[in-house]
Amino acid sequence: MIKPELSIVIPFLNEERVLPLLRERLEKIQNRPSKWELLFVSDGSTDSSPRFIEAWASEDPTVKLIVLTRNFGHQSAVSAGLSFASGDCVGIMDADLQDEPEVLLEMYRMLIKEKVDVVYGVRASRRETKLKRLFYFVFYRLYVYLADSPVQADSGDFCVMSGRAVRVLLSLPEKLRFVRGLRAWIGLPSKPFPISRPARAAGSPQYSLPKLTKLAFSGFTSFSIRPLRVGFVCGALLCLGAVIGALIYLIIALFTSIHIAAPGFSTLVIVLLFSNGLIFLYLGILGEYLGQMFLEVKGRPSFIVERTINIQGVKRTDEHH
Ligand code: UDP
Ligand code: MG
């Protein structure tokens, strides 16, 4: 078999309403690379979407399917797709047409022309609910502020990478992959590509707010240990406050005749609540890191493949990465 020029990884979870539209769009594309492969990854879909891809794959050998045993999450599904991609270059896009295939090809051409390893989409505009937009806004600002290594703000997983970049990504030992973060972290030459993000073509978002929050946390914890230092700073400030407070009370008690013992009750309660709150908050941050370490230390693979269609030969790496 000839090696494809471009592999496009498309993870999906219950997208039966979108996939026919996606197929139409992909089949309409003019001047596509002569050899491409479409790597669909079913991330535990329970509707008819895997059957739809299967039927398509039986007509078209460039359409390939990887079925995961259950829902492992979008990032793991992307990793699964990457590990099976055999193309010289690899693109990643969502199935819901929020990432447009025509744009992906433009990004691919830019990657070839400019000889860089990564071309990633940067969202200039978004069609999402206000709450989600606020969430994204806050997350990316905080993410850029916290990160210890270079980051690509306002970019999702929509990108095209060289084979070299994919190999480096896959060779990283971590199981919990925040793909857009690692893509920047590896430091290979990259170029942003401004995109506008259209609304989802059909169906409803599979990323619920809790899932999105989980993704955000793994973004923070895998690229920064700054939050861990927050506890130290807060503790130091509180201790300083306590010392200053004690001094003030001491001075008042020694040098004035004011009795402030009883009236201070509400202050006491507030201070107590506040400092206890801080302690728990910090424990939460610690717990988040501890949880990530726990998951990493167990060393389980980030996904398990149930079956594949139209895929022969070996993967780029074995699946236990
Ligand atoms: N997706 C997935 N596994 C999940 C959640 C989502 O494979 O657990 C897929 C989904 O089918 C879609 C892409 O990831 O192709 C992006 O999901 P979605 O459109 O729900 O996210 P949003 O665009 O709202 O961020
Ligand atoms: Mg979407």
Side-chain angles (χ1 to χ4, degrees):
M1 220 181 82
I2 314 157
K3 205 171 175 208
E5 282 168 32
L6 175 66
S7 306
I8 304 182
V9 172
I10 312 173
F12 66 92
L13 167 64
N14 297 339
E15 301 282 10
E16 60 185 3
R17 292 180 55 199
V18 172
L19 291 179
L21 304 173
L22 178 65
R23 177 174 181 176
E24 217 173 283
R25 272 286 272 287
L26 284 168
E27 285 182 334
K28 253 201 286 195
I29 286 182
Q30 308 286 320
N31 59 33
R32 61 162 99 160
S34 55
K35 278 268 160 223
W36 77 1
E37 63 173 2
L38 302 174
L39 270 174
F40 287 92
V41 184
S42 171
D43 185 19
S45 300
T46 49
D47 66 356
S48 69
S49 34
R51 282 198 297 282
F52 178 83
I53 302 294
E54 255 186 272
W56 183 8
S58 65
E59 298 165 31
D60 183 348
T62 64
V63 174
K64 306 177 179 189
L65 175 65
I66 300 151
V67 179
L68 303 185
T69 52
R70 63 172 174 87
N71 179 254
F72 283 92
H74 179 231
Q75 299 292 303
S76 301
V78 169
S79 295
L82 289 180
S83 68
F84 279 93
S86 59
D88 297 326
C89 296
V90 184
I92 303 173
M93 63 180 246
D94 287 353
D96 60 2
L97 286 172
Q98 283 197 288
D99 300 332
E100 297 173 279
E102 299 81 5
V103 177
L104 190 136
L105 288 183
E106 275 175 52
M107 283 160 62
Y108 169 65
R109 275 179 218 115
M110 177 165 166
L111 184 102
I112 299 291
K113 204 172 118 225
E114 311 240 343
K115 296 197 172 60
V116 287
D117 286 277
V118 180
V119 174
Y120 58 97
V122 172
R123 289 136 184 194
S125 69
R126 268 178 205 281
R127 294 241 166 81
E128 301 279 5
T129 58
K130 275 219 170 70
L131 179 70
K132 234 176 171 175
R133 280 219 302 263
L134 179 75
F135 185 94
Y136 284 121
F137 182 81
V138 172
F139 166 74
Y140 281 110
R141 297 301 158 288
L142 211 58
Y143 180 59
V144 170
Y145 170 71
L146 288 176
D148 298 324
S149 50
V151 295
Q152 298 157 349
D154 289 314
S155 70
D157 294 326
F158 189 33
C159 69
V160 179
M161 291 184 278
S162 65
R164 173 167 82 151
V166 175
R167 272 194 301 280
V168 175
L169 258 187
L170 288 176
S171 70
L172 299 176
E174 58 205 283
K175 309 285 179 301
L176 309 169
R177 279 149 195 274
F178 189 62
V179 178
R180 64 197 71 168
L182 293 174
R183 197 178 63 200
W185 182 88
I186 57 175
L188 286 171
S190 348
K191 280 257 158 77
F193 190 99
I195 51 167
S196 63
R197 200 153 154 88
R200 169 180 257 285
S204 47
Q206 299 300 329
Y207 253 114
S208 53
L209 215 54
K211 260 191 188 173
L212 217 53
T213 316
K214 208 173 131 196
L215 182 71
F217 270 112
S218 75
F220 291 143
T221 51
S222 41
F223 289 96
S224 171
I225 53 165
R226 268 190 212 181
L228 283 173
R229 290 180 206 132
V230 170
F232 183 79
V233 175
C234 286
L237 284 179
L238 281 179
C239 289
L240 193 71
V243 170
I244 293 172
L247 280 179
I248 292 173
Y249 284 127
L250 197 69
I251 291 168
I252 291 174
L254 286 182
F255 301 108
T256 70
S257 52
I258 310 167
H259 290 283
I260 47 164
F265 184 71
S266 41
T267 324
L268 206 67
V269 171
I270 292 169
V271 169
L272 218 77
L273 276 181
F274 180 70
S275 57
N276 273 323
L278 276 185
I279 292 173
F280 273 100
L281 201 79
Y282 188 59
L283 277 179
I285 296 178
L286 270 184
E288 199 59 43
Y289 281 90
L290 196 68
Q292 299 272 329
M293 279 164 64
F294 175 67
L295 290 174
E296 288 290 357
V297 158
K298 278 193 295 187
R300 290 184 191 151
S302 55
F303 58 87
I304 304 279
V305 177
E306 187 190 317
R307 62 198 167 93
T308 61
I309 288 175
N310 280 354
I311 293 178
Q312 305 96 10
V314 281
K315 288 164 282 171
R316 240 179 238 280
T317 63
D318 74 271
E319 76 192 46
H320 301 282
H321 59 71

